[in-house]
Amino acid sequence: MAKKVLSGIQPSGSLTLGNYIGAIKNFVKLQEEHECYFMVVDLHAITVSQDPAALRENSESVAALYLAAGIDPAISNVYMQSHVQQHAELGWIMTTLTAMGELERMTQFKDKSSGKDSVGAGLFVYPSLMAADILIYNADLVPVGEDQKQHLELTRDLAGRFNHRFGEFFTVPEPYIPEVGARIMSLDDGTKKMSKSNPNPGSYIALLDPPDVIRKKISRATTDSGREVIFDPATKPEISNLMSIYAECSGMTLQQIADRYEGQMYGGFKKDLGEVLVATLEPLQQKYQEIRSSGALTDILAEGAERARNVAAQTLAGVKERMGFLPLR
């Protein structure tokens, strides 16, 4: 049987080139051999305050970008997390199985709550909901970046804890971490991950940035001292990051890129990289506009949610039976 894959992206801010290379490109590959569930995780987005109109727009935008990038709704389940109510119910159950100390150790909570006078409880407990997202489908593989490995370890612990208390039931998921392109860094700091939440828009390439904006952002991207286009993340993190982006979008190897620009300064390299990115993103942007204007997105999300609910309902029923809840007649 095909292994199940589960992943999701929050609809907060504009999706970036880092999301595309590090996640969505791999989603497209994974759907060819696996049973895939790709969510827009809107319940996670509200762990911090969201403008309702912006949440709706960003939710549709992320879903449309999934499709524009090549995720096929005929073979993959594409849906909104909030449209499958079993996520929230199992999320509560997982919260009751999670210790306070486990949540307090989460580095993402520490980072996001640092310096704030008041922090919502949802931000604290959302790793339990993330565990439920994965376990509700008994997913085998979860594509994760380095910053999410801790959350997956909690999921594995909770699956094992449930199985120990109530009998073998949950699949203990494994991480799927692609060897190349898993972590694209910021354009203004090669030591930090590219993030759509960065207040500096020049630090990331948004997937819907116009061509001239893409070219300008690359031309202004921070580069290391020196002039050599060589891949050395330890001593030249900025140029190494740009080379990784070039390789992912052009199909060239890092060595081929280094050879092409040997003896040249950064200017020509960055100009060519801008054109490579424009050529990569323009077709995606065109498909995105076609999807948004077609009106088909609502039906696609409804169909994906219905298929996901059918699986999730069976899992939740099994969980509640093992835990001693009375069945609904």
Side-chain angles (χ1 to χ4, degrees):
M1 292 181 63
K3 290 187 174 182
K4 293 181 181 178
V5 174
L6 181 285
S7 196
I9 296 177
Q10 285 196 31
S12 52
S14 302
L15 290 195
T16 72
L17 187 68
N19 297 124
Y20 176 67
I21 292 175
I24 300 175
K25 275 184 68 177
N26 290 304
F27 294 174
V28 175
K29 295 176 184 176
L30 285 165
Q31 71 180 348
E32 297 173 3
E33 298 180 359
H34 301 86
E35 179 182 341
C36 292
Y37 296 82
F38 297 130
M39 303 179 294
V40 180
V41 288
D42 49 352
L43 293 176
H44 288 300
I46 62 169
T47 55
V48 296
S49 179
Q50 298 286 340
D51 174 75
L55 181 62
R56 292 188 195 97
E57 170 59 27
N58 290 338
S59 296
E60 288 194 356
S61 179
V62 172
L65 283 168
Y66 277 172
L67 304 179
I71 295 176
D72 184 350
I75 58 176
S76 294
N77 298 290
V78 179
Y79 57 99
M80 303 301 302
Q81 181 189 25
S82 63
H83 291 177
V84 182
Q85 60 268 33
Q86 291 84 1
H87 283 266
E89 189 169 354
L90 185 60
W92 169 248
I93 291 172
M94 288 296 113
T95 301
T96 69
L97 297 176
T98 309
M100 291 276 289
E102 290 175 308
L103 297 173
E104 288 169 345
R105 288 192 292 273
M106 292 290 154
T107 55
Q108 279 211 332
F109 172 74
K110 293 177 183 178
D111 293 343
K112 291 183 178 181
S113 61
S114 178
K116 295 183 179 178
D117 296 330
S118 177
V119 179
L123 188 63
F124 184 64
V125 301
Y126 95 93
S128 299
L129 176 58
M130 185 179 293
D133 295 336
I134 298 165
L135 299 177
I136 197 70
Y137 305 108
N138 272 310
D140 300 284
L141 298 173
V142 182
V144 291
E146 289 294 326
D147 56 342
Q148 294 291 345
K149 289 178 71 174
Q150 193 181 29
H151 290 152
L152 184 59
E153 282 305 313
L154 176 63
T155 303
R156 290 169 55 84
D157 290 343
L158 290 175
R161 191 171 302 159
F162 183 94
N163 292 345
H164 178 73
R165 293 186 188 177
F166 304 108
E168 289 296 319
F169 182 73
F170 283 125
T171 300
V172 179
E174 297 288 341
Y176 171 81
I177 303 175
E179 294 181 6
V180 179
R183 194 170 177 85
I184 297 300
M185 313 307 283
S186 172
L187 298 181
D188 63 352
D189 186 346
T191 65
K192 296 180 179 179
K193 183 180 178 182
M194 183 178 286
S195 172
K196 61 182 185 293
S197 62
N198 192 316
N200 174 19
S203 71
Y204 58 82
I205 301 292
L207 293 184
L208 298 178
D209 275 344
D212 286 347
V213 172
I214 293 171
R215 295 183 182 104
K216 183 177 291 185
K217 286 183 178 181
I218 291 298
S219 70
R220 295 178 176 177
T222 302
T223 47
D224 311 276
S225 60
R227 53 178 288 175
E228 303 88 358
V229 179
I230 57 174
F231 189 77
D232 185 353
T235 63
K236 296 174 72 70
E238 269 82 20
I239 198 66
S240 297
N241 181 47
L242 295 179
M243 289 178 70
S244 294
I245 294 171
Y246 199 129
E248 285 290 329
C249 294
S250 69
M252 295 174 65
T253 66
L254 293 168
Q255 187 58 54
Q256 287 172 332
I257 295 167
D259 291 342
R260 170 175 287 188
Y261 296 98
E262 184 177 1
Q264 300 184 40
M265 299 182 71
Y266 293 148
F269 165 79
K270 291 170 76 173
K271 183 177 180 180
D272 290 348
L273 174 56
E275 296 307 319
V276 166
L277 285 176
V278 168
T280 298
L281 295 181
E282 274 193 321
L284 182 150
Q285 293 172 357
Q286 183 176 351
K287 290 179 183 177
Y288 170 86
Q289 297 298 340
E290 291 170 357
I291 292 163
R292 291 297 301 268
S293 62
S294 71
L297 190 59
T298 300
D299 289 341
I300 290 171
L301 292 174
E303 291 166 6
E306 182 178 6
R307 293 197 299 267
R309 277 195 300 270
N310 290 337
V311 177
Q314 293 182 34
T315 304
L316 185 62
V319 167
K320 294 171 77 171
E321 178 184 5
R322 283 162 175 77
M323 293 183 73
F325 287 97
L326 289 176
L328 177 66
R329 296 297 184 187

